[in-house]
């Protein structure tokens, strides 16, 4: 269990496009998905395998396939921006959704929607949100998944603030956190700095 900052040169190169305020919506969206895909490759290293009997054109043999169902659960709405990149590497994964937004005054998470795969309790779950800021929404979503019986959760984000990491680790030490970058901190509006701004607005072109 722990926190993993993904220093791969390709991830860092692509991250510089996301940080640039002049990157347009199209490139931002594509690059975010590319980073999410590269992170998926790393974050799935520990998935369990099981042996199955397979017949090649030559003979019967055993091959290895993923032992457990896998689910990707984006926290709406910005988490949606990572799903396409992740399913490229996990095409059999189911996708659930949790809707939590941050009350801009209290900064507390507000729940509004959830739809999860039926076998979620047996699944390895990758909970995703590009920005781990205060940790409020992440903790809310992890609590929610655990109440549904989920036992194996990893949290994937593009940028994490040390404050958010600390809060999630304190509440959920069993959850691995993967980030492309651990930034300096949170400003007075709880935005991550240097960060990349509002991830949802940049993915969906709403600002
Ligand atoms: N959410 C964002 O989209 N950006 C931040 O910097 C913090 C939270």
């Amino acid at each position: 269990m722990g926190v993993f900052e993904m220093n791969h040169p390709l991830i860092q190169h692509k991250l510089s496009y996301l940080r640039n305020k002049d990157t347009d919506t199209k490139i931002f969206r594509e690059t975010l998905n590319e980073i999410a895909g590269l992170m998926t490759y790393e974050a799935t290293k520990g998935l369990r395998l099981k042996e199955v009997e397979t017949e090649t054109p030559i003979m019967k043999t055993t091959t290895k396939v993923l032992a457990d169902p896998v689910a990707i659960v984006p926290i709406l709405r910005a988490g949606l921006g990572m799903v396409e990149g992740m399913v490229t590497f996990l095409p059999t994964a189911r996708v659930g959704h949790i809707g939590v937004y941050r009350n801009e005054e209290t900064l507390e998470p507000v729940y509004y929607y959830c739809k999860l795969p039926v076998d979620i309790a047996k699944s390895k779950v990758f909970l995703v949100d590009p920005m781990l800021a205060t940790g409020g929404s992440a903790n809310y979503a992890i609590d929610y998944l655990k109440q549904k019986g989920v036992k194996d959760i990893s949290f994937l984000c593009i940028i994490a603030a040390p404050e958010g990491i600390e809060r999630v680790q304190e509440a959920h030490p069993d959850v691995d956190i993967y980030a492309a970058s651990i930034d300096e901190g949170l400003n007075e509006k709880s935005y991550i700095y240097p960060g990349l701004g509002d991830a949802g607005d940049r993915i969906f072109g709403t600002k």
Side-chain angles (χ1 to χ4, degrees):
M1 298 300 125
V3 182
F4 304 93
E5 190 177 18
M6 301 189 151
N7 288 318
H8 192 288
L10 293 182
I11 293 180
Q12 294 308 312
H13 178 85
K14 290 173 190 296
L15 185 55
S16 99
Y17 288 91
L18 295 190
R19 289 195 192 277
N20 186 334
K21 68 178 175 50
D22 295 324
T23 297
D24 67 21
T25 304
K26 178 179 187 288
I27 301 295
F28 189 89
R29 229 181 249 155
E30 288 171 0
T31 309
L32 186 70
N33 272 307
E34 287 167 8
I35 295 177
L38 291 167
M39 289 179 69
T40 302
Y41 181 76
E42 276 297 307
T44 49
K45 264 186 181 167
L47 290 187
R48 292 191 316 125
L49 293 168
K50 66 178 179 194
E51 292 200 335
V52 292
E53 283 183 18
T54 305
E55 199 167 345
T56 75
I58 309 299
M59 59 178 280
K60 284 189 177 162
T61 185
T62 55
T63 55
K64 291 173 185 165
V65 296
L66 295 179
D68 306 303
V70 176
I72 300 165
V73 179
I75 300 178
L76 303 178
R77 74 182 157 145
L80 289 175
M82 297 170 70
V83 173
E84 203 182 307
M86 295 183 73
V87 294
T88 305
F89 291 95
L90 286 168
T92 58
R94 319 256 170 135
V95 181
H97 297 88
I98 294 184
V100 186
Y101 71 89
R102 181 167 72 160
N103 180 310
E104 292 299 333
E105 273 156 34
T106 63
L107 300 180
E108 288 305 313
V110 182
Y111 166 86
Y112 65 94
Y113 181 77
C114 184
K115 185 82 182 171
L116 297 171
V118 282
D119 58 355
I120 194 78
K122 285 186 279 162
S123 302
K124 161 77 198 185
V125 174
F126 292 98
L127 180 66
V128 303
D129 193 346
M131 309 302 273
L132 174 57
T134 63
S137 300
N139 274 351
Y140 187 97
I142 295 168
D143 282 337
Y144 192 99
L145 290 170
K146 286 185 173 176
Q147 274 166 26
K148 297 286 173 198
V150 181
K151 301 205 168 35
D152 188 354
I153 305 170
S154 291
F155 185 82
L156 263 70
C157 59
I158 305 296
I159 298 183
E163 295 89 329
I165 291 175
E166 199 181 317
R167 197 161 158 201
V168 172
Q169 282 205 301
E170 205 175 282
H172 300 289
D174 56 313
V175 172
D176 281 331
I177 300 172
Y178 294 89
S181 173
I182 299 171
D183 274 15
E184 288 174 43
L186 296 176
N187 69 13
E188 64 293 345
K189 288 188 174 160
S190 287
Y191 276 84
I192 300 175
Y193 69 89
L196 50 72
D198 188 302
D201 280 342
R202 297 198 65 193
I203 293 164
F204 296 107
T206 42
K207 214 172 202 174

